Amino acid sequence: MPHEFCFLVSVPGLRRRDLEHMPRLRALANRGAAADLRPTFPCVTSPVQASMLTGATPDRHGIIGNGFYHRDRGDVELWVGRNNLVQGEQLWNTLAQRGVSQAAWIPQNIKDAAADFIVTPEPKHHPDGRTELWCYSKPDGLYEKIIADIDHFPLMNFWGPLANIRSTEWTINAALWLLQRERPRFNYIYVPHLDYEAQKFGPNSEQQIKACREADEQLGRLFDGVAALGISDVAFLVVSEYAMTDVSRVIYPNRMLRDAGMAQIDERDDGEHLNVKASKAFAVVDHQFAHVYVQDPTDVDAVAGIFEGLDGIAHALYGDARERVAMVHDRSGEVVLVCEPDTWLAYYWWHDDARAPAFAHTVDIHNKPGYDPVEMFIKMPERKTPLDASLVKGSHGAPAESPDQYGAIVTSTGAAFQNDALVRDVEIRQMVEGLLA
């Protein structure tokens, strides 16, 4: 039965077993249904969110990772942010055509989307080195109004060594603030709190159990806040983007490409820098997979051969073989590396830590050609990121081929799916469309 309101709450890292520690979410499941969610490869934030919102796989929607190499510009860009990178029809457009008002809180690739209300981090970087807290918002002036009533989005609690529940608490507060004033009927809310402790300590650690309880408390605040506003004809979908696995091994593709004479390393005053334009091949690493960009097509076989048969690498796919993981796209690397579940990939290209570039010791999502979870281990008060990738205990991104790699989906209405079903992320768009009147 369609509803007047629908909330799609994205909780990366959520698994069905975690409901044992989440009484509010478990109560929602008892009222509706709970099932495993199988994400599409690569099982990382930006592609999975795009798969949920388009109903398509990455080879069709084009979000082939949390970032990629712009061949035309010769640079790597992570966490791009603009919605026009998503190819094909999106849920935002479909609902807008139906006249359904929409709010989007902190998703990836959302700037300039068709949603009526959007808030997502966009800090201002000043020439003197200062970083000013700020968020992109739609319509213009929305974020200023939120600041006046609630305060700035706590970016330092969203990522890095100070990441904690405060960023989720702010997002829930802001979503309820907007709901009271504008009553958007579809609300997408990103709750990343289960991402932090699972990577630092492992997905089954005591720290992660505590994080589950904290996230559950905030979800309960959302449920209660919606009810307090007199909204009863509502469907909640709480959806994971992926599940974490324990990792005990790390591989450094750019070091290996350097040693093979493929990656160009330049000496600068602050250390060694990867020159992506001049490299014959280099890797953009992203948790448990990587796109390896190869300039000369005749080198592709040799580059793939560097990684084939390596412990921890399940596949080094190139050419049409990339179709196995829906990675044949203009933005994809010529070679796609896929890890075993116990392995993740670090972006490092230096062998001597004394020659690491200055940005390696900082939280810098723009200069690093790959995701760096070690940023969560910054040493205080020096404010330096250690260069020890073995600190990371949990990761994700590899194909979800076993139940241990499945996320969870919980709904307040049994009409969305059957209990104990196996739901795919590409089914979420149609599910939301069916839940909204």
Side-chain angles (χ1 to χ4, degrees):
M1 178 182 296
H3 298 267
E4 185 178 359
F5 292 86
C6 179
F7 286 77
L8 177 59
V9 186
S10 181
V11 187
L14 177 68
R15 308 166 299 176
R16 286 186 70 185
R17 72 182 76 174
D18 296 327
L19 269 61
E20 175 186 351
H21 312 293
M22 305 176 77
R24 296 302 303 271
L25 194 55
R26 189 168 66 247
L28 191 78
N30 291 339
R31 196 167 87 233
D36 287 328
L37 181 93
R38 184 175 185 178
T40 300
F41 177 84
C43 305
V44 298
T45 293
S46 296
V48 172
Q49 288 187 2
S51 293
M52 289 195 292
L53 294 169
T54 63
T57 48
D59 55 345
R60 292 171 54 201
H61 61 59
I63 306 302
I64 50 88
N66 287 318
F68 58 91
Y69 178 55
H70 292 273
R71 291 183 175 89
D72 56 336
R73 298 185 341 212
D75 64 7
V76 175
E77 189 175 21
L78 270 74
W79 313 110
V80 180
R82 294 293 166 185
N83 186 251
N84 61 7
L85 284 173
V86 183
Q87 298 168 345
E89 186 75 9
Q90 301 176 54
L91 179 62
W92 311 116
N93 307 89
T94 304
L95 295 182
Q97 291 163 10
R98 287 170 48 180
V100 175
S101 55
Q102 309 164 64
W105 296 95
I106 326 293
Q108 297 300 317
N109 300 111
I110 191 60
K111 297 172 186 176
D112 306 319
D116 302 89
F117 306 98
I118 300 172
V119 175
T120 196
E122 190 178 63
K124 296 179 180 180
H125 301 285
H126 295 282
D128 62 2
R130 288 181 302 113
T131 298
E132 180 184 352
L133 294 178
W134 200 255
C135 282
Y136 166 97
S137 67
K138 178 185 176 184
D140 291 341
L142 174 61
Y143 185 56
E144 287 88 337
K145 294 177 182 177
I146 296 173
I147 293 172
D149 287 354
I150 297 179
D151 205 353
H152 277 288
F153 175 74
L155 183 65
M156 73 291 295
N157 304 129
F158 183 64
W159 177 248
L162 301 179
N164 61 37
I165 197 64
R166 284 193 62 222
S167 62
T168 292
E169 182 179 18
W170 185 96
T171 305
I172 300 299
N173 289 342
L176 292 171
W177 176 92
L178 184 70
L179 192 66
Q180 181 179 19
R181 288 158 178 79
E182 301 289 349
R183 286 295 202 270
R185 294 183 53 212
F186 174 61
N187 296 265
Y188 183 106
I189 302 175
Y190 180 52
V191 176
H193 189 60
L194 300 190
D195 229 19
Y196 312 136
E197 304 300 84
Q199 292 185 75
K200 292 169 69 175
F201 302 104
N204 302 307
S205 62
E206 287 299 318
Q207 292 89 340
Q208 182 66 355
I209 291 173
K210 180 175 181 286
C212 287
R213 293 176 178 139
E214 292 173 337
D216 187 64
E217 181 179 348
Q218 295 304 315
L219 291 173
R221 288 184 57 244
L222 174 65
F223 304 153
D224 294 342
V226 171
L229 291 172
I231 297 173
S232 57
D233 188 10
V234 57
F236 288 97
L237 276 176
V238 181
V239 184
S240 177
E241 295 173 4
Y242 45 76
M244 298 275 185
T245 56
D246 290 303
V247 292
S248 56
R249 173 169 44 197
V250 57
I251 293 174
Y252 308 89
N254 283 314
R255 282 182 181 170
M256 299 176 68
L257 290 165
R258 172 185 183 162
D259 294 345
M262 293 290 182
Q264 173 65 40
I265 308 300
D266 294 343
E267 289 282 349
R268 300 185 190 175
D269 290 343
D270 71 329
E272 297 176 346
H273 287 249
L274 176 66
N275 186 332
V276 297
K277 285 186 179 180
S279 292
K280 294 181 180 179
F282 70 94
V284 176
V285 303
D286 203 343
H287 298 84
Q288 293 181 320
F289 81 105
H291 288 280
V292 183
Y293 294 90
V294 186
Q295 280 202 24
D296 188 338
T298 63
D299 287 334
V300 170
D301 285 0
V303 169
I306 294 171
F307 302 99
E308 288 174 334
L310 184 68
D311 286 346
I313 299 294
H315 306 289
L317 304 172
Y318 59 98
D320 291 342
R322 294 172 301 167
E323 292 180 358
R324 293 170 52 184
V325 289
M327 280 287 113
V328 178
H329 191 275
D330 291 344
R331 295 172 184 159
S332 294
E334 283 70 22
V335 178
V336 176
L337 303 180
V338 182
C339 286
E340 299 286 357
D342 65 349
T343 303
W344 75 282
L345 306 176
Y347 77 95
Y348 306 173
W349 51 79
W350 57 90
H351 288 289
D352 180 359
D353 286 348
R355 300 304 303 145
F359 63 72
H361 295 281
T362 67
V363 176
D364 192 336
I365 65 173
H366 299 296
N367 279 310
K368 298 176 182 179
Y371 173 75
D372 185 14
V374 186
E375 291 178 344
M376 290 188 289
F377 295 90
I378 281 185
K379 297 177 180 178
M380 303 298 276
E382 302 95 324
R383 297 189 178 183
K384 290 186 67 174
T385 298
L387 303 179
D388 182 3
S390 69
L391 291 170
V392 176
K393 302 304 179 186
S395 191
H396 58 96
E401 296 175 341
S402 73
D404 285 344
Q405 295 167 294
Y406 294 163
I409 178 169
V410 177
T411 181
S412 60
T413 170
F417 55 84
Q418 297 296 314
N419 253 322
D420 300 321
L422 180 59
V423 178
R424 295 187 62 210
D425 56 3
V426 292
E427 299 174 48
I428 300 300
R429 173 186 171 181
Q430 187 175 15
M431 200 176 290
V432 170
E433 291 175 0
L435 286 172
L436 276 165

